Amino acid sequence: MQSRGSSHRLPGLALRSPISSFMLAMLATMASVYVAGRLWQDAENRVYLIKELDRRTGKRQTAISVDESLKMVACRDQHKKLAALEMELAAARHEGYVSKYGYGSESSDTNGAPIKKRLLAVIGILTGFESKNGRDAIRKSWVPSGTELKKLEEDKGVVVRFVIGRSANRGDSMDRAIDDENKHSKDFIVLDNVVEASEEVPKKTRLFLAHAVDTWDADFYVKANDNVYVNIDSLGAMLSAHVDKPRVYLGCMKSGEVFSDSNHKWYEPDWWKFGDGKSYFRHASGEMFVISRALAQFISINRDILRTYAHDDVSVGSWFIGLDVNHVDEGKLCCSSWTSGAICSAV
C-alpha cells in the first residue's frame, strides 16, 4: 500500500520540478540585472560627486605652470618695491621733503585716467539752528565760500563743512531755513537721521565721523565746535607730522569729575559706571579733536553699537579705550587756553 501511494505522488513532483527551476532561473536573472544596474548607477553618481567636489574646491588643477610661477614671483617683487616706496615716502614727508599740501589735485595713471589724491583732512563744524550769525562770522574769517571753498580742497587738501541735524518737527521753518542757507553756501552736511538737540550731540558726532569717512578719503577727520576759529595752515603743518601714524587721536587731553547730580549742568546719567572715584578717563576736549582714517573707519563700521555718554568728547574717548591707539596730548589744540602757537581759539 505504501509503495503504491508513493508511486502516485512521484508524477506530481516530476511535473512541478521543471517549472520551479524555470521560475528560479528567471528570478535570478532579474536580480542580477537589477544589481548590475544599481552598481552602474552608483558608480556614475560617485564620478559625478567627485567631479563636483573638485570643481567647488578648485582642486582639478594642482600643478602650476612655469609662467604662472614667474608671474607670482614678479607680483611679490612688485609688492615689496611698493612697500619700500611707501616707507621712503613717509620718511620724506616726515623730514619735510614732500609738500604737505600735495592733496586734493588729480594726477593720471599709465592709461591717462585721473587719480584722485587723498585729502589731508575733513573738518566738521558742529552747529545748530540758532547759530546763523556764528556761521556767517566763520565764513568771513577762516572758512571760505563759493569757489574758494573748492580751492581750499584742491590746494591744501582740506574739506570744511558745517554739520547739523533735522528738526524734531521734520520740514518745519527751521529745516527750511537750513535748506535755503545750504542752497547758497553749499557748505553743510545735513544728518537726516539726527534730531537737532543738545542731548543728541554725541550721536551727531558719531554719525558725522561715519559719514565723513564714507564720503571723503582723507588722512584725518576733525571735529570742531562753531565757536572755534582755526588756523588752517598751522593745522595742516601739525597734521603732516602725524601722517605716518595709522591710529592717532589728537587733542587737548583732559579728565574731569563725573557729576551724579541730575540738576548739574554736566550731569552724567551713567555716572555709576566710572567707579567710586567718579572721574572720567583721559579724552580730548570736545572743542576740537582729530582722529586718523583708521579710527574713523572703526567708528563707521561699528556706528550702530558704539555707546554714547552725556558728552560727545567723553563718548569719543570711550570708543578708543580698548584699542591700540596713539593718544597725542597736543597743546596747540587747547582752544580755550589761548597759548602761543595755538592752532585754534574759542570765543
Side-chain angles (χ1 to χ4, degrees):
M1 295 293 293
Q2 291 178 351
S3 60
R4 196 186 319 178
S6 299
S7 64
H8 284 296
R9 287 191 296 269
L10 287 173
L13 290 173
L15 290 172
R16 287 194 297 269
S17 178
I19 296 174
S20 300
S21 299
F22 178 74
M23 292 297 293
L24 289 172
M26 284 185 63
L27 291 174
T29 302
M30 293 173 64
S32 299
V33 171
Y34 174 76
V35 171
R38 289 301 303 270
L39 290 175
W40 179 262
Q41 185 179 4
D42 289 345
E44 286 186 332
N45 288 339
R46 283 195 295 272
V47 171
Y48 170 77
L49 291 174
I50 291 171
K51 290 181 178 179
E52 184 68 13
L53 181 62
D54 288 342
R55 183 183 68 81
R56 296 192 178 189
T57 57
K59 294 181 178 179
R60 283 182 297 178
Q61 183 177 352
T62 58
I64 300 176
S65 66
V66 174
D67 289 340
E68 289 174 336
S69 300
L70 292 174
K71 289 179 181 178
M72 292 173 65
V73 171
C75 185
R76 292 194 187 101
D77 289 340
Q78 291 298 326
H79 278 297
K80 290 179 181 178
K81 291 178 181 178
L82 179 60
L85 288 172
E86 287 177 344
M87 292 178 64
E88 291 178 6
L89 178 61
R93 184 183 290 116
H94 182 70
E95 295 295 328
Y97 293 110
V98 178
S99 173
K100 59 180 176 293
Y101 293 139
Y103 297 89
S105 58
E106 291 184 348
S107 59
S108 299
D109 60 13
T110 54
N111 296 320
I115 301 173
K116 190 72 173 181
K117 292 185 178 180
R118 180 175 292 157
L119 297 165
L120 175 62
V122 176
I123 304 174
I125 307 169
L126 268 64
T127 189
F129 292 127
E130 72 288 349
S131 300
K132 174 66 164 62
N133 292 336
R135 290 192 293 273
D136 288 340
I138 288 175
R139 292 183 182 113
K140 292 177 181 178
S141 57
W142 66 277
V143 177
S145 301
T147 57
E148 291 300 314
L149 187 65
K150 183 65 176 176
K151 194 171 185 294
L152 176 65
E153 176 182 342
E154 294 174 348
D155 292 350
K156 298 184 179 181
V158 177
V159 169
V160 186
R161 296 289 188 273
F162 292 102
V163 182
I164 198 166
R166 286 297 190 183
S167 171
N169 302 313
R170 183 62 66 90
D172 63 7
S173 59
M174 293 187 290
D175 276 350
R176 292 195 300 272
I178 291 298
D179 291 338
D180 290 341
E181 184 179 345
N182 192 31
K183 286 180 182 178
H184 294 89
S185 63
K186 294 181 174 57
D187 57 4
F188 274 92
I189 294 173
V190 180
L191 301 173
D192 290 324
N193 53 348
V194 174
V195 174
E196 191 59 41
S198 59
E199 63 271 17
E200 293 293 312
V201 172
K203 179 182 178 182
K204 183 178 177 181
T205 301
R206 180 184 65 195
L207 293 183
F208 153 65
L209 294 170
H211 172 84
V213 76
D214 291 346
T215 306
W216 291 284
D217 181 24
D219 285 318
F220 299 99
Y221 298 85
V222 184
K223 178 263 176 178
N225 290 340
D226 61 1
N227 65 336
V228 169
Y229 289 73
V230 179
N231 185 322
I232 293 289
D233 291 333
S234 297
L235 176 65
M238 186 266 290
L239 293 181
S240 294
H242 296 280
V243 169
D244 58 338
K245 300 173 184 176
R247 294 175 301 278
V248 63
Y249 173 37
L250 301 101
C252 183
M253 296 294 169
K254 65 174 186 175
S255 185
E257 182 181 355
V258 179
F259 295 98
S260 57
D261 182 0
S262 59
N263 295 319
H264 196 280
K265 179 182 179 181
W266 306 116
Y267 169 60
E268 173 59 72
D270 288 319
W271 57 267
W272 61 274
K273 292 183 179 179
F274 295 91
D276 297 334
K278 291 184 180 180
S279 178
Y280 286 119
F281 40 77
R282 192 69 64 181
H283 59 277
S285 169
E287 290 180 320
M288 184 176 180
F289 64 79
V290 183
I291 63 173
S292 60
R293 185 175 68 260
L295 297 183
Q297 290 171 335
F298 170 80
I299 293 172
S300 175
I301 293 169
N302 298 284
R303 70 184 76 182
D304 295 328
I305 60 173
L306 289 175
R307 180 74 169 81
T308 56
Y309 293 96
H311 315 295
D312 67 327
D313 53 358
V314 173
S315 299
V316 173
S318 72
W319 302 335
F320 305 146
I321 285 292
L323 304 181
D324 183 13
V325 174
N326 183 10
H327 288 63
V328 178
D329 185 10
E330 180 55 75
K332 294 179 181 179
L333 293 176
C334 295
C335 306
S336 297
S337 62
W338 294 80
T339 57
S340 176
I343 290 171
C344 58
S345 60
V347 295

